[in-house]
Amino acid sequence: MTPPNETRTGSDEMTIGELAARFGLATHVLRHWEAVGLLTPARRVSGRRRYDRRHLADVAIILLGKECGLSLEQLRLLATRGGDRAERHALLERHRTALRERIAAATETWTGGEAPEES
């Protein structure tokens, strides 16, 4: 029997189902990320995708970026090093500004326009 942290194809390879299960995702999510250029299988065996340990970090980074509100297109640009360094930096700065504005708006809504109490 295969130990839970290993796969049938070897300790460094996973099927799409195994990779998706590690993060509680459906396999179609990983296929979509492949279609938009965010994820690429390490190789194919008999037409089936095989992923290695580096893909664990790739998926974790994609999920973190989505949690931070980045779009898949923005993540693709950052992950593939598309554009130049200045363009990537500008994207992140715009995103940070937008997050700060959302936080300020949420804070104002929460406090009714009054400054929050200091603790």
Side-chain angles (χ1 to χ4, degrees):
M1 181 169 205
T2 304
N5 291 338
E6 293 190 17
T7 68
R8 293 182 304 286
T9 58
S11 62
D12 287 338
E13 286 192 338
M14 294 165 273
T15 65
I16 192 168
E18 291 164 334
L19 180 60
R22 295 251 183 139
F23 293 93
L25 299 170
T27 56
H28 70 86
V29 172
L30 299 182
R31 287 186 193 99
H32 178 67
W33 291 352
E34 285 181 23
V36 298
L38 278 174
L39 195 61
T40 304
R43 64 189 185 111
R44 289 184 183 260
V45 175
S46 299
R48 296 185 182 260
R49 297 163 174 87
R50 294 289 187 248
Y51 299 89
D52 57 35
R53 292 193 180 275
R54 72 182 161 91
H55 290 97
L56 294 170
D58 293 344
V59 172
I61 289 167
I62 293 166
L63 290 172
L64 180 60
K66 286 177 53 64
E67 190 175 313
C68 291
L70 291 166
S71 71
L72 293 181
E73 178 58 29
Q74 290 170 321
L75 287 167
R76 188 191 60 74
L77 177 73
L78 295 169
T80 60
R81 298 193 178 267
D84 62 14
R85 186 172 189 266
E87 184 180 348
R88 291 190 306 273
H89 182 76
L91 183 153
L92 291 173
E93 283 298 321
R94 286 191 306 273
H95 189 70
R96 180 170 37 185
T97 299
L99 286 176
R100 286 182 175 155
E101 289 169 358
R102 289 177 62 196
I103 290 168
T107 300
E108 185 173 331
T109 299
W110 181 259
T111 63
E114 297 175 16
E117 292 183 24
E118 297 290 326
S119 46

